[in-house]
Amino acid sequence: MMMSLEANSHNLDKRIMTKSRIFMVLACISLAMVFLFPLWQITLDAPQFPGGLHLNIWVNKFSGSGKHIIQNINILNHYIGMQAIEPDSINELKYFPIIIYTMIGFGIIALLADKKYVYLGWFATMVALGVLGIYDFYLWLYDYGHNLDPKAPITVPGMVYMPPLFGEKWLLNFYAKSYPHIGSLFLGIAIAASFMSFLKCKKHSSEIDE
Amino acid sequence: MKLSTRIAVPILGLCLISACQKSGVDQVMTGDAANAVYVAPGEYDEIYAFMSGGYSGQVTVYGLPSGRLLREIPVFSKVAENGYGYSEETKAMFNTSYGEVPWDDSHHVELSQTKGEFDGRWLFINGNNTPRIARVDLSTFETVEILEIPDVAGLHCAPFITQNSEYLVSATRFSVPIPQKDVPIDSYKENFTGLINYVSIDAESGEMALDFQIEMPGFNYDLARNGKAKSHGWSFVTTYNSEQAHSLLEVNASQKDKDLLAIINWKKAEEYIAQGKFKERTTSYFHNVTNEATSIVESRKETKTRILTPSECPGMVYFIPVPKSPHGCDVSPSGEYIVGNGKLSADQTVFSFDKLMEAIANENFDDEIDGIPVINFEAGLDGIVEQPGLGPLHTEFDGKGNAYTTYFISSEVVKWDLKSKQVLDRQPTFYSPGHLVIPGGETTKPYGKYLVAMNKITKDRYLPTGPELAHSAQLFDISGDKMKLLLDFPTKGEPHYAQAIEASKIVSKVKKFYPIEENGHPYSAKNEKETRVERKGKEVHVYMTAIRSHLAPDNIEGFKVGDEVYFHLTNLEQDWDVPHGFAIQGANNAELLVMPGQTRTLKWKPQKPGVFAFYCTDFCSALHQEMSGYARVSAANSDIKLKWGLNDDELRSE
């Protein structure tokens, strides 16, 4: 009697705690981490800025070296005619968080459904969003780097100030470095985990691993 | 016999001066002194040394061991270079009962303490001429408060701090009639009185207040120290001119074999104050404090002081004789030894706190002066350092049982053992040291390691600069048995005393800029949209901002001859080391330096019609030279309206 009860609960656990579901929980938690860590970091190094100026790009905000990093970067940028970064007018910072919340919501639905094609759908959507996000980021960088005020105090013929999307580059007196930050790592884990959910999910979720 | 010794010692001293200059040089050449003081580019010094400026009225900050000058903090002298004392915000700092006194003679630096150790919060310094005590905030290195001390003359003996920064003790150098009155000078003995002052410090804000004053016989009060550890609660104040001479003091105040050390039980004084045993006297003094929210100095006129009289307050004040016109009196880190530096004596007198307490308990008194018991000299004496040099002035401690005393006349620093009173080492200084400082040397836990002698005579130490020379300081390594000369460096003004503190106690607290959101100045403009020009009759207020690399507004029209124009400049920067300056042609007062987040105001009276340029005086950026503007001034009867702006298309008008 006791034996069979234990066996039953064991089977029940196995049915609910499928590997695919565990991976999907991991995917959702990782995705939520983008609210705790920046996605990208651009560092500007110059001798008179000991330690460099760090600009951290989050899904919903900017941060970096000190509270006033945006003002301080804008002051530098205005000499070469770059537009001011105004977080309030960047719509992505408003709707990206909504997309993340939505994807976490879909993730929860996916793990409740525990269906192979639902996991695949979530994975594919995240990959597409990731690619679009990077493309959007590229467009912003391109715009900031190329769309210069013709009345700028300092104009260097032929010079553009687009920071690298990924990598390092000299921009006048600054050595700019641009790399993904911890938030992007979690984004990667989320995508990978959702793919694992897809792989581990049996066609018929009611089947129990033997 | 005695006379011949006294002549022989200075002559020997002179020989040492000439002989040892070479040996000093040799030491530097042959030893590793250069390495010991070398602070590599970009590295920080280990220690902050805060030196008084003497007649400069200011405080200078040096790094040790490099001897590099880091900053001069304006305190008692107006500084046109940044507008300190000239700007509308800071001019009230110089208010006194004598009106504006824009200079002083600053002598003794005291750092705030907690539990007998430096805590790196505030620095206090005295103004000798117009009796005042200033407080410098060590998070900004700015003077934030000046308190005048009433009814005293020459506040040389100030401002000595207690071990938890409860009080700053000070005393009058010159006794004078109190209250002031028109009397013959030769009525000194009847009419002249001394005062010892206790200024309390607010534990949170640091704000000072004159708590009470003790009426004392009409002597000259020279220097003081407070007890620490076991002697906490007591103050020790040296006197000279117990002869009560009023002319040719160099002779007439040097007649007695012994002068007196005043010993004050300030905890007892607090009890008498609590019991209401004080007299309230009407007087007049100013208290100038920076309002933290607005950063504007507010000046208050105070009219009351509380006086305690020793004859009515038994057990509060005692005297003990000290040989020959003592100068400094210094208390050892344990609080046990009180060193009296009799400046005209060849000996050094050391009292024991325990013995003094025992003598007081046993009423071992020889005499009484104005109701103040005079303790028997032998009863309080711990021992005498016999003939260590000539002209002892000041003593500091290394926390390892050693004392170091400067000898002005024999031009040397002498290291001696506190217990055995034996001389352990002597090194010449170049020349004639006044005070000396050991980092933490006044606290219960000296940091030791270095000693700086601040010399009164420079002569040939540096490249000559005409008749007027910088004073010199010498840095010694005192970590070994023998003191070792490491460095010789010129200083600003005339540093009297200095205090030195481990850099780590200050570095982390230093502000890099003023947060703009905390700027509560009534005339600030916190962004360019708030910039404007307003007329109130003849008064015109310009709400101006500065940010790299423009002033806003930079074109202003509608000023009239006879106006009083106030340029209120707010520095909008929020980064470290981006000050902006402001200067306008025809300013009869000063220029301004405005730190990031701060607002400072320059008053300008246009004198003739025309167009006058203004500009930023701090090379702030690549386009600093473009950071300028024009003020158009019209005739007094002109009807040109105020008009201002930053780009032609953005001109605004009243």
Side-chain angles (χ1 to χ4, degrees), chain B residues 289-301:
Chain B
V289 188
T290 306
N291 178 321
E292 227 176 277
T294 61
S295 83
I296 298 172
V297 178
E298 291 166 3
S299 204
R300 295 196 292 267
K301 193 180 172 184

Side-chain angles (χ1 to χ4, degrees), chain B residues 333-564:
Chain B
S334 64
E336 166 62 7
Y337 300 107
I338 298 112
V339 181
N341 305 280
K343 65 180 182 280
L344 305 181
S345 165
D347 296 335
Q348 186 92 347
T349 313
V350 183
F351 296 105
S352 148
F353 179 71
D354 289 341
K355 286 186 178 173
L356 288 171
M357 290 303 106
E358 204 184 310
I360 288 170
N362 299 334
E363 301 195 351
N364 195 345
F365 305 139
D366 281 354
D367 197 358
E368 198 177 277
I369 300 171
D370 294 354
I372 301 169
V374 181
I375 301 167
N376 174 278
F377 175 68
E378 305 292 338
L381 185 71
D382 185 69
I384 285 173
V385 192
E386 280 178 31
Q387 305 211 338
L390 200 70
L393 291 186
H394 302 281
T395 300
E396 290 242 326
F397 308 92
D398 63 3
K400 291 184 268 182
N402 303 308
Y404 300 76
T405 303
T406 48
Y407 288 83
F408 180 80
I409 299 173
S410 51
S411 188
E412 59 188 334
V413 180
V414 174
K415 175 181 178 180
W416 50 278
D417 184 89
L418 266 168
K419 271 209 180 103
S420 71
K421 318 284 183 285
Q422 293 302 305
V423 170
L424 303 173
D425 186 26
R426 60 176 67 241
Q427 289 294 329
T429 69
F430 312 97
Y431 307 96
S432 296
H435 278 271
L436 75 171
V437 59
I438 290 173
E442 196 227 329
T443 68
T444 56
K445 290 206 180 98
Y447 182 73
K449 196 163 176 182
Y450 301 112
L451 179 157
V452 180
M454 285 158 278
N455 303 296
K456 299 299 181 191
I457 298 168
T458 307
K459 305 259 191 211
D460 59 346
R461 296 305 290 178
Y462 312 109
L463 285 173
T465 57
E468 190 172 347
L469 304 169
H471 280 262
S472 88
Q474 264 108 39
L475 176 77
F476 292 87
D477 177 347
I478 56 163
S479 56
D481 287 342
K482 299 285 175 193
M483 296 177 277
K484 198 174 143 201
L485 179 64
L486 295 179
L487 183 71
D488 195 331
F489 61 100
T491 53
K492 289 201 80 175
E494 184 190 353
H496 288 270
Y497 187 43
Q499 286 201 332
I501 175 174
E502 299 99 293
S504 58
K505 286 189 173 176
I506 290 184
V507 170
S508 59
K509 295 177 189 169
V510 173
K511 269 191 193 161
K512 294 187 168 172
F513 55 84
Y514 296 94
I516 189 96
E517 63 274 13
E518 290 170 19
N519 179 328
H521 194 293
Y523 290 99
S524 69
K526 293 190 185 174
N527 54 62
E528 288 185 4
K529 286 186 194 115
E530 291 180 11
T531 59
R532 61 195 182 275
V533 183
E534 286 174 358
R535 177 180 284 284
K536 291 176 191 160
K538 292 253 175 216
E539 259 183 39
V540 184
H541 293 273
V542 182
Y543 295 71
M544 186 180 271
T545 60
I547 196 160
R548 282 163 287 170
S549 303
H550 58 269
L551 295 157
D554 66 356
N555 278 202
I556 309 168
E557 300 192 347
F559 294 131
K560 292 173 196 172
V561 172
D563 279 349
E564 283 193 341

Side-chain angles (χ1 to χ4, degrees), chain B residues 120 141 162 174 188 208 227 289 307 341 487:
Chain B
F141 287 51
T162 56
F174 308 107
Y188 187 106
M208 298 180 282
V289 188
I307 308 287
N341 305 280
L487 183 71

